[in-house]
Structure formats: C-alpha cells, structure tokens
Amino acid sequence: MREAVELVLATEKDAELLHQMKYEAFLPLYEKYHDDETSPVKESMEKVIRYIQMENSDYYLIKFQNEFVGGVRIVEKQEGVFSISPMFILPEYQNRGIGYAAIQKVIALYPKAITWRLATILQEKRDCHFYEKCGFYRSGWKKEINELMDVVGYEKVLVMTRGFCEADAEEVAGLIIRNFKEVNSKDYSPNAIQEIVKTHDAEWVKGVAGYAHMYVFCLDEKIIGVGSISSFWGSETESILLTVFVLPEFHGKGIGRTIIRTLEQDDLFIRAERVEIPASITAVDFYQKFGYGFKNNVKQLDEEGHFRLEKFKQRGEYQK
C-alpha cells in the first residue's frame, strides 16, 4: 500500500482541487457536529492559497493509483516540532490504508523532526484509534468546541528510549546540572543551586541507577532526557519518580511527557497503589497536568526544596 501512495507538493494552481476535496472530506463531520468556527468546511479557497504560500507550511496532494484522493498540510511550529493540520481523504477512499501510508511518507520527508503534533475530534473514536495506530499519544491538550464536540491533541516524539548504562553517567550528570543552572535557577537562589550542583555528579547518578529503573532518551546518539522510578523505601505498593530532566534546548518539544509516559509503563509504576514525586518549584505545574497533587494537601517546600506530590490508584485508575 505504501508504494501505491504518493505525496505531491501543491502549488497555487492546486488550490481549487484541495479546497474541493477538503470540503467533501469534512462535510460529514460538519453535518454531525456543526462546528462553524473550526470546521475546514468553512475555510475559503483564499485561505488554502495562503497556506500553500506560507514559508513554514507545505501542502501536499495525496495521490493513490494515479488519482488525487486527499491532502495533508505540514507546518513547522518551531525547530524540530511539526504539526499535521489538516489531513483528509475523500470518503470513498477511506478505510483503505491510504491515510496510514500517507503519514508514514510524511514523517520520512522530514528527518529533522523531533515531535509531530495534530488535533482530532475526541468523539470520533475511529479517528483517535487511527492516530494511535500511527504511533501518536494523547498530549493532554483538550478544547471544547461545542456541546457535541471536543478537540484533543496528539503527538509523536521521535526519540529512542533505552535503559541507563554506566557509560552514560557523565553525560546524564551534565544534563541534570545544566537544568539546575539554566532552568531551576529562576526559582532558587544562587547558593542553593551551587550546593545542589556539588552533589549531583556522575557518581550520584550511578548511585540512583543502582536502586532505580533509570531510562535515557536519545536523539541519534545524544542523550536529551532522563527519568527514573524506584520503589518508595522498599515498599511493594508505593513508588517514586526521580531524576526527570530534559536538556534545556529541548524543552517544549514533548520530551518530558514522553519521559513520564515511559515511567508510567514501568512495572514499578503499574504495581504501585501510590506514586510520589519530589517536585521542584519549576516543575510543579508540569506534574499536576499528569494528575499528581500535593501530598497530604501540603503546599510547602520540604527541607530539600521540593514540593511533595502524589497520585493514587483507585479501581484500576490513578487519581489525586
């Protein structure tokens, strides 16, 4: 199937065709949800032309067996972060594997991409399943459009995940120290940063890896993130997340969410009834997006300068 699908970069002369196909593809959804403000059905041909002309935007015609059957637009949001908006296949060509093949070809066209993002309708379970089949995960972003329809975000982060090995210790320590100096320094005093930097060297990293499940997240062969999970003081029912850090230049690209998602698939997380996180001032908002709340409702820093957050599992699901 992949060989039968082609992507043809659109020019202004293709605007009318793209506009017509987009209208036909999204009309059934518009008639179902009446999303007047957001539906591609309501977009003018002038807007399609503008999208084709934009420097950070590539619009492709999707071709299948010498017939144009849909379109996909790629937008570079920031360095390494690309979005798919919109993507559509004519109704009579849907459910034939064309969309899946088109996404694989799109990703192959942009080797510099680290993160892919898109949005789809939450109530359209088939569409959500399709993107999950393509390797996308829910990003946590959600917007209510009307009483019938919500839009949710999906992302696919193209990093390689593997277990920590001792040879990684220096690189991981450097990554962590850079975060202290360049990120956490906004919320902590210079003296506090200086003291914590002294203790977080390669030997400290090896020590954590000795009792925790530590993962590193790599782009090519460069480590750009790290995260660990351990039993909480030897407990069989409680665990703790540790050393969650991303290189500062890769913040905002979904790497942190990928780290948490990985840790929450670890056996130590799955078996736990309660999971704790010692969170810096800088990271509290980030962890709260994953359902972690203040431990015992205490919203004060501990002796180590952390907020203690936790999440409980009840009836098979984690709750604050």
Side-chain angles (χ1 to χ4, degrees), residues 266-292:
D266 186 276
D267 290 343
L268 292 178
F269 183 92
I270 293 170
R271 79 178 191 184
E273 297 174 5
R274 188 187 75 91
V275 178
E276 184 166 317
I277 300 176
S280 67
I281 298 170
T282 318
V284 166
D285 290 345
F286 170 74
Y287 291 125
Q288 286 181 316
K289 293 176 181 177
F290 291 89
Y292 292 86

Side-chain angles (χ1 to χ4, degrees), residues 101-162:
I103 283 188
Q104 305 312 309
K105 284 185 172 284
V106 162
I107 291 174
L109 279 174
Y110 296 85
K112 292 184 179 180
I114 300 168
T115 304
W116 287 94
R117 291 176 178 159
L118 57 86
T120 194
I121 300 171
L122 176 63
Q123 288 75 15
E124 291 297 308
K125 301 304 180 186
R126 186 183 68 176
D127 291 348
C128 292
H129 175 73
F130 166 73
Y131 289 118
E132 289 163 8
K133 180 181 176 181
C134 293
F136 287 79
Y137 292 86
R138 288 276 296 272
S139 67
W141 178 83
K142 179 181 177 181
K143 182 179 181 180
E144 180 181 341
I145 303 301
N146 57 40
E147 61 182 9
L148 298 173
M149 171 183 165
D150 301 290
V151 173
V152 291
Y154 275 85
E155 68 183 5
K156 181 183 179 80
V157 181
L158 303 178
V159 295
M160 189 269 286
T161 304
R162 61 171 173 81

Side-chain angles (χ1 to χ4, degrees), residues 204-242:
W204 178 87
V205 171
K206 292 178 188 177
V208 175
Y211 63 80
H213 296 176
M214 182 177 285
Y215 298 87
V216 294
F217 301 80
C218 307
L219 188 62
D220 296 326
E221 295 186 2
K222 181 181 180 65
I223 297 175
I224 63 172
V226 63
S228 307
I229 183 169
S230 172
S231 169
F232 187 74
W233 296 104
S235 172
E236 294 286 333
T237 59
E238 296 179 303
S239 294
I240 184 169
L241 303 189
L242 303 163

Side-chain angles (χ1 to χ4, degrees), residues 16 20 24 72 75 78 81 101 108 122 128 195 217 282 293 305 308:
E16 185 174 356
Q20 181 61 33
E24 293 179 26
V72 58
V75 184
Q78 56 176 291
V81 179
L122 176 63
C128 292
E195 288 302 311
F217 301 80
T282 318
R308 290 282 167 172

